[in-house]
């Protein structure tokens, strides 16, 4: 029986994939499988993964004939996963030796649906510990109860699928799959659904994931049209949360977070190509018109002057029917 399935998408990461694979080897166990998903890479990544399938214990190589993005690649791995537990890793990140066996032992002891962990962010030579924004550690709790408050960073804002481990029952219930085709912000609707639908969770203070930030090929570094998928992602958050039994309580958090992300992108709009920047403004204005207007007003009233003013100006921007539909 497979105890743990680790899903690792790769796309044009020939520089970093060897370190990722080496760290997986230092976490291997006879009852672990590593699902290596090649998302139609165009560099030497496929050759590196072909060697890994032969040499890495438990490795299974899954290939895409066309590039589908991170969300679709993770779904490919989820569809093939046989483990009692599931974990994720990105193809340019790495782990400390023995991290997965430790985390597996922890979640089994706690007996909850999922656990969330801290991580180390790596930018050039800098190393920074980032912690789950929830103070209670190793205590099983209801995931719904840690979504709020609306005006503070909470567990749903820590949207890293690879910072944790998940019981298979969540996969069987349809909670772990991602929105196919999302090229950025794919973790946002996923983390919200996880907290709304899972029954139990815990935060554990186990450091073992090293998240490589600032990679030139990463979408967080590229100002092209794929970045605008955050709008589709957050539209999904709003739509699903509005249908929740606790919509009146949860929507202010979802709307305020959506507004904060729009403001963030507008604040660094110079990194976008001119055509994409124009599209960002028009699509964001249309998105604000789709939000529940009473909730939106409360969200803007609760934000600092700079962000609220930027968003109010955007809200007054006229939108065409085509833009609203976008």
């Amino acid at each position: 029986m497979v105890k743990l399935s680790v899903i690792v998408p790769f796309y044009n990461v020939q520089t970093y994939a060897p370190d990722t694979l080496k760290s997986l080897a230092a976490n291997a166990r006879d009852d672990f499988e590593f699902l290596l998903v090649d998302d139609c890479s165009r560099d030497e990544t496929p050759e590196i993964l072909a060697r890994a399938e032969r040499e890495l214990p438990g490795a299974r190589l899954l290939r895409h004939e066309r590039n589908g993005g991170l969300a679709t690649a993770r779904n490919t791995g989820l569809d093939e996963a046989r483990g009692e537990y599931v974990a994720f890793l990105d193809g340019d990140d790495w782990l400390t030796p023995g991290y997965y066996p430790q985390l597996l032992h922890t979640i089994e002891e706690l007996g909850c649906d999922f656990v969330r962990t801290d991580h180390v962010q790596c930018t050039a030579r800098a190393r920074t510990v980032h912690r789950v924004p929830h103070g209670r550690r190793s205590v099983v709790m209801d995931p719904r109860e840690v979504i709020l408050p609306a005006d503070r960073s909470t567990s749903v804002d820590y949207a890293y699928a690879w910072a944790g481990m998940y019981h298979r029952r969540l996969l069987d219930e349809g909670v772990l799959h991602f929105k196919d085709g999302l090229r950025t912000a794919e973790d946002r609707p996923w983390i919200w659904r996880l907290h709304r639908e899972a029954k139990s969770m815990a935060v554990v203070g186990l450091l073992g994931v090293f998240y490589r930030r600032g990679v030139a090929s990463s979408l967080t570094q590229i100002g092209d049209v794929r970045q605008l998928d955050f709008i589709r992602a957050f539209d999904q958050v709003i739509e699903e949360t509005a249908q929740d039994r606790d919509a009146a309580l949860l929507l202010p958090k979802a709307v305020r977070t959506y507004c904060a992300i729009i403001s963030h992108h507008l604040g660094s709009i110079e990194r976008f190509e001119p055509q994409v920047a124009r599209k960002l403004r028009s699509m964001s204005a249309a998105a604000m018109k789709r939000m529940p207007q009473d909730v939106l007003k409360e969200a803007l009233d609760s934000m600092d002057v700079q962000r609220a003013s930027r968003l109010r100006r955007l809200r007054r921007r006229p939108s065409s029917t085509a833009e609203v539909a976008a």
Side-chain angles (χ1 to χ4, degrees):
M1 180 178 177
V2 177
K3 196 70 174 177
L4 174 66
S5 298
V6 182
I7 297 163
V8 195
F10 295 82
Y11 178 63
N12 290 350
V13 287
Q14 63 180 24
T15 303
Y16 309 111
D19 288 340
T20 303
L21 295 164
K22 183 179 178 180
S23 77
L24 290 174
N27 278 269
R29 237 171 57 172
D30 290 343
D31 54 354
F32 287 5
E33 68 175 359
F34 301 113
L35 302 170
L36 314 177
V37 185
D38 176 24
D39 194 20
C40 198
S41 298
R42 300 300 184 188
D43 60 0
E44 295 181 14
T45 300
E47 289 75 18
I48 294 170
L49 296 182
R51 289 196 299 272
E53 186 177 33
R54 297 191 298 268
E55 299 171 3
L56 174 62
R60 294 167 59 200
L61 179 55
L62 309 172
R63 295 188 185 276
H64 282 179
E65 293 301 318
R66 56 182 295 181
N67 179 259
L70 184 58
T72 301
R74 285 177 176 166
N75 287 342
T76 294
L78 287 169
D79 290 341
E80 293 291 327
R82 300 173 298 181
E84 183 180 352
Y85 292 89
V86 173
F88 301 95
L89 187 67
D90 286 352
D92 52 3
D93 299 336
W94 75 97
L95 310 163
T96 57
Y99 170 68
Y100 280 146
Q102 283 182 275
L103 190 54
L104 177 63
H105 175 74
T106 299
I107 192 173
E108 288 187 312
E109 274 200 329
L110 291 168
C112 52
D113 283 346
F114 69 94
V115 295
R116 301 289 287 157
T117 66
D118 305 326
H119 72 275
V120 181
Q121 179 176 295
C122 306
T123 306
R125 296 184 180 181
R127 301 288 186 269
T128 310
V129 174
H130 285 246
R131 303 208 178 271
V132 185
H134 186 82
R136 300 174 68 193
R137 301 296 162 117
S138 301
V139 176
V140 177
M141 66 195 89
D142 182 347
R144 280 180 171 267
E145 295 180 358
V146 302
I147 295 175
L148 301 176
D151 60 349
R152 285 199 353 230
S153 183
T154 70
S155 188
V156 290
D157 301 308
Y158 189 79
Y160 307 107
W162 38 257
M165 192 170 284
Y166 314 90
H167 195 282
R168 182 179 188 88
R169 57 181 166 262
L170 296 174
L171 175 57
D172 294 338
E173 292 167 4
V175 178
L176 290 186
H177 275 77
F178 296 80
K179 176 75 170 179
D180 260 323
L182 280 181
R183 296 163 293 180
T184 191
E186 69 288 327
D187 289 344
R188 295 292 187 154
W190 179 88
I191 195 78
W192 272 83
R193 185 171 65 251
L194 184 67
H195 279 72
R196 287 193 314 265
E197 299 188 18
K199 301 298 187 296
S200 58
M201 67 166 285
V203 176
V204 297
L206 180 62
L207 279 174
V209 182
F210 287 78
Y211 165 49
R212 199 188 301 269
R213 189 168 174 82
V215 176
S217 60
S218 170
L219 274 183
T220 59
Q221 304 299 307
I222 299 172
D224 70 14
V225 71
R226 292 172 292 178
Q227 278 279 11
L228 303 187
D229 275 8
F230 86 90
I231 292 175
R232 285 204 296 139
F234 273 98
D235 277 353
Q236 183 182 345
V237 171
I238 299 297
E239 179 183 351
E240 293 177 353
T241 304
Q243 297 169 4
D244 188 87
R245 66 178 186 267
D246 293 323
L249 289 173
L250 301 181
L251 269 175
K253 171 71 174 176
V255 169
R256 195 179 195 279
T257 304
Y258 197 170
C259 288
I261 298 297
I262 290 174
S263 179
H264 166 75
H265 283 298
L266 292 174
S268 57
I269 200 166
E270 67 281 351
R271 70 191 176 93
F272 290 93
E273 301 160 0
Q275 183 179 358
V276 178
R278 290 193 295 272
K279 195 169 185 180
L280 168 62
R281 290 192 186 94
S282 63
M283 290 181 66
S284 297
M288 293 182 72
K289 289 178 171 60
R290 291 193 296 271
M291 296 177 196
Q293 295 301 296
D294 55 338
V295 180
L296 174 59
K297 182 181 183 304
E298 290 179 7
L300 296 178
D301 289 345
S302 72
M303 300 178 82
D304 61 86
V305 173
Q306 182 181 25
R307 287 194 298 177
S309 298
R310 177 186 293 150
L311 291 166
R312 287 191 176 103
R313 286 195 301 270
L314 183 70
R315 188 186 184 191
R316 292 192 294 269
R317 177 190 175 105
S319 299
S320 69
T321 303
E323 286 171 344
V324 173

